[in-house]
């Protein structure tokens, strides 16, 4: 009887430990977005070039994540990229003339949207659009420009 | 020349026959499984304890050091590109997708698989299986199925524990020893590990659990009923499990990529 009990306790402990390990793996090593607000409002912005911005990328302001990109789509009418993102509803006092730029975390890190506060008295709300945007810096274009400028410098 | 051809023919014939018998054996275990789960769950719990709980120590120790060495190697090589922040990513992906399931399966074959096959082989050598049959107890159902199921159930949990402890080991080495930034370590990991990676790891651990337990039970059941036969069956369990796990690992990765 005593032996059966210890087997049962051992098995129970083992399964519990295994389950908590699985739980740890699924919750702590994945996801990436520390943003998980349930109450949000939706804002859109148009960019000439979004670089490699993907949905679920963070939206941050002053370095703090306040939202997440929900979709990145090409608009065939205006020929630019339409990015929709949601912002936590408690940040309801973001001036609507704030500007959005696509930034890169680290030199080769993933891209995110950085919001820079404006000075307007009206605030961003559900369905509003950020008008001032700055495209992603594409490394190839940058190198291209650099090569052109350095070769034209040689000619003079 | 004729003798050579006949030898090749015979050994091929024997191989195909064994392989077929192995498949039928697998189906037999599967067919008896639902009934055993309902009727005798106690037997399965006992085997989960034998295969899982008793393998815990070796899994944890090995996981800690595998994670630690991944952290060391990752740091040493990534810091050449100033990318030591990605140590977390490298370690997590390596552990979750490959090393966790594979090393756990190899350890499992060595720790639990050998125990299973020598136990069953010895039962056969001492005519216990034959005695059961005399008492109208089906030894496949009473002895083999619980051991097989115990291994299959225990394996995913062992892999999860191994992976977690490995991450912990990498954390210890890279953050406390090599002073990688703790935030970068976890954040980079969370950004690049997706649910698909974890799913791949779980699928692998399940497949390896089935293969390793099945081979152990099969080798034990088909051991020659002598001291030498049991020893040989135990060795074959480890060798064949290792080969099967590594080949299957390649195939699953190729399919899931």
């Amino acid at each position: 009887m005593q032996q059966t009990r210890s087997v049962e306790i051992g098995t129970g402990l083992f399964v519990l430990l295994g389950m908590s390990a699985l739980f740890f793996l699924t919750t702590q090593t994945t996801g990436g977005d520390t943003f998980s607000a349930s109450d949000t409002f939706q804002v859109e912005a148009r960019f000439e070039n979004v670089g490699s911005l993907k949905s679920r990328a963070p939206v941050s302001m002053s370095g703090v994540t306040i939202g997440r990109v929900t979709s990145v789509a090409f608009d065939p009418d205006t020929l630019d990229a339409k990015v929709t993102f949601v912002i936590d509803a408690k940040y309801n006092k973001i001036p609507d003339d704030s500007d959005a730029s696509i930034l890169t975390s680290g030199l080769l890190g993933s891209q995110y949207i950085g919001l820079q506060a404006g000075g307007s008295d009206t605030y961003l709300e559900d369905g509003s659009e950020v008008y001032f945007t700055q495209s992603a810096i594409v490394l190839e274009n940058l190198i291209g420009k650099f090569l052109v400028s350095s070769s034209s410098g040689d000619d003079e | 020349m004729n003798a050579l051809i006949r030898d090749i023919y015979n050994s091929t014939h024997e191989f195909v026959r064994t392989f077929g018998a192995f498949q039928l054996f697998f189906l037999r275990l599967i067919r008896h499984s639902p009934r055993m789960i309902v009727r005798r769950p106690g037997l399965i719990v006992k085997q989960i304890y034998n295969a899982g709980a008793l393998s815990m120590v070796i899994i944890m120790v090995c996981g800690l050091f595998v994670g630690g060495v991944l952290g060391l190697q990752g740091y040493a090589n990534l810091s050449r590109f100033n990318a030591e922040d990605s140590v977390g990513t490298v370690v997590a992906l390596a552990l979750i997708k490959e090393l966790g399931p594979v090393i756990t399966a190899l350890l499992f074959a060595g720790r639990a698989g050998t125990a299973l096959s020598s136990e069953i082989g010895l039962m056969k050598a001492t005519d216990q299986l034959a005695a059961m049959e005399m008492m109208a107890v089906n030894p496949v159902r009473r002895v083999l199925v619980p051991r097989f199921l115990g291994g299959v159930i225990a394996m995913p949990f062992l892999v999860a524990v191994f992976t977690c402890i490995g991450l912990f080991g990498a954390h210890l080495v890279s953050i406390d020893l090599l002073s990688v930034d703790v935030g970068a370590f976890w954040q980079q990991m969370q950004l690049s590990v997706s649910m698909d990676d974890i799913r791949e790891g779980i699928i692998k651990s399940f497949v390896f659990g089935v293969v390793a337990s099945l081979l152990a039970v099969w080798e034990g059941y088909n051991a020659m009923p002598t001291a030498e036969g049991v020893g040989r069956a135990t060795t074959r369990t480890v060798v064949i499990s290792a080969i099967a796990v590594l080949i299957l690992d390649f195939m699953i990765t190729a399919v899931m990529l």
Side-chain angles (χ1 to χ4, degrees):
Chain A
M1 193 60 212
Q2 199 58 42
Q3 208 230 340
T4 323
R5 266 180 67 85
S6 68
V7 165
E8 281 166 356
I9 291 172
T11 312
L13 271 179
F14 165 70
V15 172
L16 279 179
L17 204 62
M19 292 231 181
S20 47
L22 267 179
F23 181 74
F24 176 84
L25 284 182
T26 47
T27 55
Q28 293 302 302
T29 63
T30 66
D33 53 339
T34 44
F35 176 75
S36 58
S38 51
D39 198 12
T40 58
F41 62 94
Q42 189 172 325
V43 180
E44 63 174 66
R46 288 170 183 281
F47 292 90
E48 215 172 285
N49 189 334
V50 291
S52 61
L53 188 77
K54 293 187 182 68
S55 59
R56 298 179 66 81
V59 175
S60 78
M61 200 157 183
S62 310
V64 180
T65 303
I66 58 165
R68 156 157 53 84
V69 174
T70 51
S71 83
V72 179
F74 178 69
D75 188 336
D77 298 326
T78 52
L79 297 177
D80 58 7
K82 191 175 107 179
V83 175
T84 346
F85 51 93
V86 291
I87 294 177
D88 191 338
K90 70 182 176 207
Y91 304 114
N92 55 0
K93 294 221 164 145
I94 301 169
D96 62 359
D97 63 344
S98 301
D99 70 84
S101 35
I102 296 179
L103 306 170
T104 310
S105 56
L107 187 57
L108 299 167
S110 56
Q111 292 189 301
Y112 66 98
I113 292 185
L115 286 179
Q116 198 80 275
S120 165
D121 289 336
T122 46
Y123 304 118
L124 283 180
E125 54 191 19
D126 196 37
S128 55
E129 182 176 345
V130 176
Y131 290 102
F132 304 104
T133 62
Q134 193 184 341
S135 291
I137 295 171
V138 179
L139 207 58
E140 287 87 337
N141 295 350
L142 213 63
I143 294 172
K145 273 181 200 158
F146 174 73
L147 286 179
V148 168
S149 69
S150 68
S151 64
S152 66
D154 286 345
D155 290 342
E156 286 167 11
Chain B
M1 194 60 203
N2 251 337
L4 180 69
I5 291 172
R6 199 166 55 234
D7 279 356
I8 293 174
Y9 172 77
N10 280 342
S11 53
T12 316
H13 183 267
E14 181 60 20
F15 175 76
V16 173
R17 192 194 65 78
T18 316
F19 195 64
F22 181 68
Q23 307 294 328
L24 290 175
F25 178 74
F26 181 37
L27 290 180
R28 229 166 120 198
L29 287 185
I30 296 283
R31 207 184 57 215
H32 287 302
S33 291
R35 211 177 127 152
M36 284 307 283
I37 293 174
V38 177
R39 290 258 181 101
R40 303 294 299 271
L43 287 177
I44 299 173
V45 168
K46 180 91 201 297
Q47 295 308 324
I48 295 177
Y49 178 78
N50 281 343
L54 294 182
S55 306
M56 217 52 180
V57 175
I58 183 176
I59 291 292
M60 287 171 120
V61 173
C62 293
L64 189 69
F65 282 97
V66 168
V69 83
L70 278 176
L72 275 180
Q73 287 281 17
Y75 179 83
N77 291 296
L78 288 169
S79 63
R80 280 197 278 178
F81 313 108
N82 279 334
E84 51 269 46
D85 286 350
S86 308
V87 170
T89 310
V90 171
V91 173
L93 284 177
L95 277 176
I96 289 172
K97 291 169 72 124
E98 290 296 332
L99 294 178
V102 170
I103 297 185
T104 310
L106 296 180
L107 292 173
F108 179 86
R111 163 66 186 75
T114 51
L116 284 185
S117 60
S118 57
E119 186 188 7
I120 297 170
L122 214 64
M123 280 177 143
K124 193 179 175 191
T126 51
D127 287 331
Q128 293 182 45
L129 297 185
M132 278 185 188
E133 246 166 308
M134 294 292 286
M135 295 188 287
V137 175
N138 185 347
V140 170
R141 194 186 294 158
R142 179 68 175 70
V143 175
L144 303 188
V145 169
R147 282 166 177 74
F148 169 69
L149 287 178
V152 172
I153 295 169
M155 186 66 182
F157 293 134
L158 287 174
V159 171
V161 171
F162 182 94
T163 310
C164 278
I165 299 281
L167 287 175
F168 175 67
H171 179 103
L172 276 185
V173 165
S174 44
I175 286 149
D176 298 334
L177 216 62
L178 301 166
S179 59
V180 171
D181 181 55
V182 61
F185 182 88
W186 286 100
Q187 203 202 352
Q188 294 266 351
M189 179 196 302
Q190 290 170 349
L191 279 174
S192 39
V193 176
S194 69
M195 214 55 196
D196 286 343
D197 299 324
I198 296 195
R199 203 168 300 134
E200 185 180 338
I202 292 176
I203 289 175
K204 277 184 179 173
S205 65
F206 181 71
V207 172
F208 296 167
V210 170
V211 169
S213 333
L214 183 61
L215 278 166
V217 171
W218 161 259
E219 287 296 340
Y221 191 58
N222 286 289
M224 274 189 298
T226 58
E228 193 198 350
V230 174
R232 199 177 288 169
T234 314
T235 313
R236 280 170 60 95
T237 303
V238 179
V239 174
I240 298 180
S241 299
I243 296 172
V245 162
L246 292 172
I247 292 177
L248 276 172
D249 181 49
F250 177 80
M251 296 200 318
I252 296 174
T253 310
V255 169
M256 304 229 7
L257 216 55

